[in-house]
Coordinates of all heavy atoms in Angstrom, one line a residue:
T119 N -46.6 104.3 -24.2 CA -46.8 105.0 -25.5 C -46.8 106.5 -25.3 O -47.9 107.1 -25.1 CB -48.1 104.5 -26.2 OG1 -48.3 103.1 -26.0 CG2 -48.2 104.8 -27.6
P191 N -59.8 122.1 -26.6 CA -58.4 122.6 -26.6 C -57.4 121.5 -26.3 O -57.6 120.6 -25.5 CB -58.4 123.7 -25.6 CG -59.6 123.4 -24.7 CD -60.6 122.7 -25.5
E248 N -48.1 137.3 -17.8 CA -49.0 138.5 -18.0 C -49.5 138.7 -19.4 O -50.7 139.0 -19.6 CB -48.3 139.7 -17.5 CG -48.8 140.3 -16.2 CD -47.8 141.3 -15.7 OE1 -47.0 141.9 -16.5 OE2 -47.8 141.6 -14.5
F269 N -52.2 124.0 2.1 CA -52.7 124.6 0.9 C -53.0 126.1 1.0 O -54.0 126.6 0.5 CB -54.0 123.8 0.4 CG -53.7 122.4 0.1 CD1 -54.1 121.4 0.9 CD2 -53.0 122.1 -1.1 CE1 -53.9 120.1 0.6 CE2 -52.8 120.7 -1.4 CZ -53.2 119.7 -0.6
G277 N -57.0 134.4 -5.8 CA -57.2 135.8 -5.3 C -56.9 136.8 -6.4 O -56.4 136.4 -7.5
T328 N -64.6 135.3 -9.5 CA -65.7 135.5 -10.4 C -65.2 135.8 -11.8 O -65.7 135.4 -12.8 CB -66.7 136.6 -10.0 OG1 -66.0 137.7 -9.6 CG2 -67.6 136.1 -8.9
V382 N -39.4 89.4 -34.9 CA -38.2 90.0 -34.3 C -38.6 90.8 -33.0 O -39.6 91.5 -33.0 CB -37.6 91.1 -35.3 CG1 -36.3 91.7 -34.7 CG2 -37.2 90.4 -36.6
Q480 N -31.1 120.5 -46.2 CA -30.2 119.3 -46.4 C -29.5 118.9 -45.1 O -28.9 119.7 -44.5 CB -29.1 119.8 -47.5 CG -28.8 118.9 -48.6 CD -30.0 117.9 -48.9 OE1 -31.0 118.2 -49.3 NE2 -29.7 116.6 -48.7
S492 N -32.9 103.5 -30.1 CA -33.4 103.4 -28.7 C -34.7 103.9 -28.4 O -35.3 103.8 -27.3 CB -32.3 103.9 -27.8 OG -31.9 105.2 -28.2

Side-chain angles (χ1 to χ4, degrees):
T119 317
E248 251 167 20
F269 296 105
T328 47
V382 182
Q480 229 20 66
S492 46

